[in-house]
Amino acid sequence: MTEQQLQQLSLNYWSDRAEEFSALRMKDYETSMRESFLQFIKSQLPPIKDRPIRALDLGCGAGFFCLLLKELGCQVTAIDFSKEMLEQAKKNCERNHIFDISFLQMDAQHLTFPDETFDFIITRNVTWILPNVKQAYQEMLRVLAKKGRLLNMDSNYGKVFYESEKRGETPSHPTQSLHQLQTRNRIAKDLAITKVERPQWDLMTLWELGVQNLSCYRDLEQQLNIKELNQAYTCASNQTRAIMFAILAQKQ
């Protein structure tokens, strides 16, 4: 498939999942996962004291991190390529009495913001679904202010899903249908990011793009003590699961 075909198939898949995915994330919001992520994000924010931190939730999904960023006093902009996901995120924020987030439909690989717009960019489980991850990183760094920070939380999901399927394992997920899981695996199979080792590839790519201040957590679930809560979402099958990592990059 071409990049455009992959992008469209992925958009259809995530838009179809919007309500189901939103229910999962809001369920997480009521568990200790919320506090674990809140404290972790707080520790990674840039040290800006004289004004609100300008934060971008890139690929906001159901708005889980929008809520946390607002709790931490940030000025929040949220983007997603799925209109249906954005609708869910807006509803979830309004249910929590938050009405001042700017929600925009946008492709992470083609950001329309001016240079150096944000102090902090957060993204979770987004880069693994992109046809051109290097271009997405270039765009993130472009719109990040000097001394700004990028926090990418992800996993080598595509590689794990693809290799699990090759072994003949049955896909597993608590709420997705088998058809949805097969579509997910079909998308992952053709993505270039599926064929590399992560987070090594991400660190090298960011280094090549000029980032000198980089750090990485190889196992974010262990770091945040959320493995049990998050396990069902990271399973490729009953036999195989992915491991979440976190990369923090600071722009010079």
Side-chain angles (χ1 to χ4, degrees):
M1 283 187 284
T2 65
E3 284 192 7
Q4 292 77 14
Q5 289 171 328
L6 280 168
Q7 186 85 339
Q8 187 60 52
L9 186 60
S10 184
L11 175 59
N12 294 343
Y13 166 77
W14 287 103
S15 296
D16 182 56
R17 286 195 62 194
E19 288 191 22
E20 164 256 327
F21 183 82
S22 178
L24 286 176
R25 284 292 172 259
M26 290 304 98
K27 181 180 177 181
D28 292 341
Y29 190 72
E30 301 300 324
T31 71
S32 61
M33 196 182 292
R34 172 194 160 278
E35 185 65 23
S36 295
F37 274 112
L38 182 72
Q39 294 305 318
F40 180 62
I41 294 167
K42 183 179 180 180
S43 71
Q44 306 301 334
L45 292 174
I48 296 173
K49 304 298 183 185
D50 58 336
R51 59 171 174 79
I53 293 169
R54 300 168 301 170
L56 173 64
D57 186 352
L58 186 144
C60 66
F64 180 91
F65 288 122
C66 293
L67 294 168
L68 300 188
L69 290 168
K70 287 300 299 183
E71 188 169 345
L72 292 169
C74 296
Q75 175 186 315
V76 182
T77 300
I79 68 167
D80 203 284
F81 72 158
S82 167
K83 180 182 69 174
E84 289 78 8
M85 281 290 188
L86 288 169
E87 289 171 354
Q88 291 296 320
K90 187 175 181 181
K91 287 178 183 177
N92 290 328
C93 288
E94 290 176 350
R95 288 188 189 109
N96 285 274
H97 311 291
I98 294 173
F99 302 94
D100 59 348
I101 293 176
S102 176
F103 291 100
L104 301 169
Q105 188 175 6
M106 197 179 298
D107 178 0
Q109 301 159 120
H110 302 94
L111 301 179
T112 59
F113 303 111
D115 294 355
E116 301 185 6
T117 299
F118 300 102
D119 307 302
F120 184 67
I121 299 175
I122 187 170
T123 182
R124 176 189 177 189
N125 295 351
V126 172
T127 46
W128 79 274
I129 67 168
L130 298 178
N132 194 332
V133 181
K134 183 175 183 179
Q135 182 172 315
Y137 275 136
Q138 287 175 316
E139 283 290 273
M140 291 183 226
L141 293 172
R142 179 184 66 79
V143 304
L144 197 60
K146 293 176 182 178
K147 304 298 181 183
R149 296 180 180 180
L150 163 64
L151 176 60
N152 180 17
M153 295 169 283
D154 205 359
S155 180
N156 212 351
Y157 290 113
K159 187 177 181 67
V160 173
F161 296 156
Y162 176 56
E163 292 180 350
S164 170
E165 188 173 77
K166 278 176 54 178
R167 290 191 293 269
E169 298 171 3
T170 303
S172 173
H173 191 274
T175 55
Q176 290 189 72
S177 68
L178 180 59
H179 174 71
Q180 287 174 318
L181 293 172
Q182 289 170 337
T183 301
R184 177 200 70 184
N185 290 358
R186 180 186 170 200
I187 296 166
K189 176 178 177 292
D190 286 344
L191 289 169
I193 194 68
T194 294
K195 301 172 178 65
V196 302
E197 293 297 328
R198 306 184 72 194
Q200 298 94 314
W201 180 90
D202 301 74
L203 292 166
M204 183 58 66
T205 297
L206 286 164
W207 182 266
E208 291 172 354
L209 291 173
V211 178
Q212 298 181 25
N213 193 339
L214 284 165
S215 58
C216 179
Y217 293 94
R218 294 286 303 257
D219 190 336
L220 184 62
E221 291 174 330
Q222 181 177 0
Q223 178 71 24
L224 302 187
N225 194 28
I226 61 170
K227 185 173 183 177
E228 185 174 345
L229 289 169
N230 201 51
Q231 184 165 356
Y233 309 148
T234 56
C235 285
S237 68
N238 290 331
Q239 296 81 30
T240 307
R241 67 186 302 268
I243 299 174
M244 286 184 66
F245 61 79
I247 292 174
L248 180 70
Q250 180 170 303
K251 187 173 177 179
Q252 293 300 106

